[in-house]
Amino acid sequence: MKVLAIETSCDETAIAVLRASGDTSATTFHILGSIVSSQFETHRPYGGVFPALAKREHAHNLVSVLKEALEKSGMQTPGTHTLPQEKIDAITAVLEREEGLAESFLSFVSTVTRPEIDLIAVTRGPGLVPALWVGVNFAKALSLAWDIPLVGVNHMEGHLLCALAERQSETELRIDSVPLPVLALLISGGHTELVLMNKWLSYSLVGRTKDDAVGEAYDKVARMLDLPYPGGPEISKLAEDARQQGLTSELSLPRPMIDGAHFDFSFSGLKTAVLYLLKGAPETDKATIAHEFENAVGEVLSKKTLRALNETGARTLAIGGGVSANTHIRRVFTKRLQEERPDVSLRIPHVSLTGDNAVMIAIAGYYRALQREFVPVDSLAADGNLSLT
Ligand code: KG4
Ligand code: ZN
């Protein structure tokens, strides 16, 4: 089955085409083409993502990202595709509020032959509502234009399933023999949660952040240190440099909620501690702060997660979301699992698939299609607060 997937939940416009085969016991995914167009530069001056701006950027980018993804996949065949007037009217209505997207969309689809795609998967939540809607409406328009069934995908399920996939090569991913239950630590700009997958695609919440998400704390601390947005990779770079130079410091930041009996997290206290530290001692070396901040995050995340592994009896640990790109976090978990729980299978996505992308949406969409969860064009809706559990 060939899956075309669309992701616009935040500040990346992403489209991918995958060939997927197999069932839940063993699945192979061939990435035919995957394009991620980032809006970092647009949002950088504001130090964060503006929903209305994100929406406009997605609307401007979607057709060219689609074109590129189809080209990469060898599916962009020039030709003509004549749509009956009623379809044109339906597509125009669907894209009515998407800032000129209807015109560019219609002119694009009329000049390519219908590609052999069997399924369209689109992120329907969670995320920024205006940004989600552009992607959802774009997916609906494609579904109408090419008569292709549609599934709505939960972005966090995308991160989770993508983490389970083992990379065979740059273009091949495989998910097979995943020992259940799976405990997933999902860490991104908007989420920090521990989720248990007891049965395939069935989830329960183990714990979540009570305030900031880890990625958000990274971004906010980076801003305090005058580092550019998005701050996660910047802090990581500074901290890694400090580690390589063998820096040790007297600095000690709090480890919020590390010993609580529950599995919830809190990161706003850690962020505030950095703020006060800088107020009292503005000359403190940035690399020293970044280093200690990462140590605190790594300790809290790993301690809670290991305890949750013991308590839930999970046999696989999957770590997904943008923050799973972090070198320190990957290292801490790899080491602790080897030492303390070598029986648990650790799955972390290849760094190229940690940030928002459409490959992960195609993977989740494929499994949802195997369960025949197709959605009629009229009833698919974005949901900014869509939850996995
Ligand atoms: O999953 P993602 O791309 O978008 C959301 O769904 O939120 O996650 C983005 C978050 C941002 O907060 C970004 O700073 C963080 O992931 N991030 C990192 C790293 N790369 C991205 N945080 C720490 N270290 C990194 N290397
Ligand atoms: Zn994400």
Side-chain angles (χ1 to χ4, degrees):
M1 180 190 285
K2 288 207 182 101
V3 187
L4 183 139
I6 300 159
E7 154 66 40
T8 64
S9 67
C10 191
D11 58 351
E12 329 274 1
T13 315
I15 297 188
V17 182
L18 269 67
R19 192 173 67 243
S21 55
D23 58 21
T24 51
S25 62
T27 330
T28 306
F29 299 94
H30 289 272
I31 304 171
L32 303 179
S34 168
I35 307 294
V36 180
S37 166
S38 173
Q39 305 176 4
F40 287 166
E41 296 305 332
T42 311
H43 298 286
R44 185 160 281 166
Y46 308 98
V49 182
F50 266 93
L53 201 56
K55 168 191 158 131
R56 199 178 68 199
E57 287 283 304
H58 289 310
H60 286 171
N61 294 338
L62 272 165
V63 169
S64 58
V65 172
L66 172 66
K67 205 168 155 194
E68 223 182 305
L70 290 174
E71 261 162 21
K72 259 252 166 93
S73 323
M75 289 194 179
Q76 146 86 309
T77 322
T80 48
H81 183 69
T82 314
L83 291 170
Q85 191 57 43
E86 65 194 58
K87 279 241 161 119
I88 294 177
D89 293 345
I91 290 168
T92 309
V94 159
L95 295 176
E96 190 179 42
R97 291 201 228 130
E98 309 303 349
E99 323 224 2
L101 183 54
E103 291 73 24
S104 57
F105 179 88
L106 285 167
S107 84
F108 173 70
V109 290
S110 62
T111 55
V112 284
T113 48
R114 179 195 180 284
E116 280 178 25
I117 304 272
D118 308 292
L119 174 72
I120 295 172
V122 63
T123 304
R124 74 174 195 91
L128 305 171
V129 173
L132 287 166
W133 269 113
V134 199
V136 165
N137 286 335
F138 189 74
K140 290 182 180 195
L142 275 178
S143 170
L144 286 168
W146 290 338
D147 290 313
I148 300 174
L150 201 53
V151 288
V153 169
N154 181 311
H155 180 89
M156 300 315 287
E157 181 170 68
H159 277 306
L160 196 165
L161 296 174
C162 189
L164 291 179
E166 290 175 309
R167 192 178 191 247
Q168 310 297 311
S169 71
E170 212 177 303
T171 54
E172 190 184 326
L173 299 170
R174 203 172 292 166
I175 299 185
D176 60 19
S177 51
V178 178
L180 291 173
V182 174
L183 179 70
L185 173 67
L186 302 175
I187 40 180
S188 68
H191 289 80
T192 295
E193 53 197 27
L194 277 168
V195 167
L196 191 69
M197 178 163 86
N198 240 320
K199 276 191 345 214
W200 191 247
L201 306 191
S202 157
Y203 308 99
S204 58
L205 184 69
V206 176
R208 62 149 53 115
T209 182
K210 290 291 178 198
D211 39 59
D212 291 357
V214 196
E216 194 179 349
Y218 264 93
D219 295 337
K220 287 177 177 168
V221 168
R223 212 181 314 169
M224 294 174 202
L225 298 177
D226 285 325
L227 300 168
Y229 172 85
E234 302 288 333
I235 298 232
S236 170
K237 243 184 277 165
L238 278 181
E240 285 301 314
D241 285 350
R243 280 185 199 101
Q244 259 157 27
Q245 290 164 24
L247 282 190
T248 49
S249 75
E250 306 295 296
L251 189 61
S252 164
L253 292 170
R255 271 79 173 141
M257 288 191 178
I258 193 163
D259 287 319
H262 49 74
F263 295 103
D264 291 332
F265 300 96
S266 162
F267 291 101
S268 84
L270 177 57
K271 169 196 73 185
T272 313
V274 175
L275 185 70
Y276 286 132
L277 172 74
L278 283 168
K279 270 198 182 151
E283 70 290 350
T284 316
D285 177 46
K286 287 185 188 181
T288 306
I289 298 176
H291 184 193
E292 171 60 10
F293 171 78
E294 281 210 330
N295 287 346
V297 169
E299 264 178 53
V300 172
L301 289 178
S302 62
K303 187 162 186 193
K304 291 239 156 179
T305 305
L306 264 101
R307 204 158 55 74
L309 273 178
N310 293 338
E311 238 169 80
T312 56
R315 295 165 65 215
T316 301
L317 172 63
I319 306 181
V323 186
S324 68
N326 185 269
T327 311
H328 179 66
I329 292 172
R330 294 169 86 96
R331 194 172 39 222
V332 167
F333 274 97
T334 308
K335 183 160 177 282
R336 287 198 72 167
L337 254 75
Q338 259 163 15
E339 287 171 1
E340 297 168 47
R341 292 301 305 272
D343 56 312
V344 169
S345 167
L346 174 64
R347 312 278 177 106
I348 311 183
H350 185 263
V351 181
S352 60
L353 292 172
T354 52
D356 290 346
N357 64 79
V359 169
M360 68 188 210
I361 304 308
I363 294 175
Y366 177 68
Y367 288 120
R368 291 291 165 187
L370 287 183
Q371 301 198 16
R372 311 210 59 76
E373 293 178 26
F374 304 107
V375 202
V377 166
D378 290 343
S379 32
L380 186 63
D383 178 354
N385 295 316
L386 186 65
S387 162
L388 259 188
T389 53

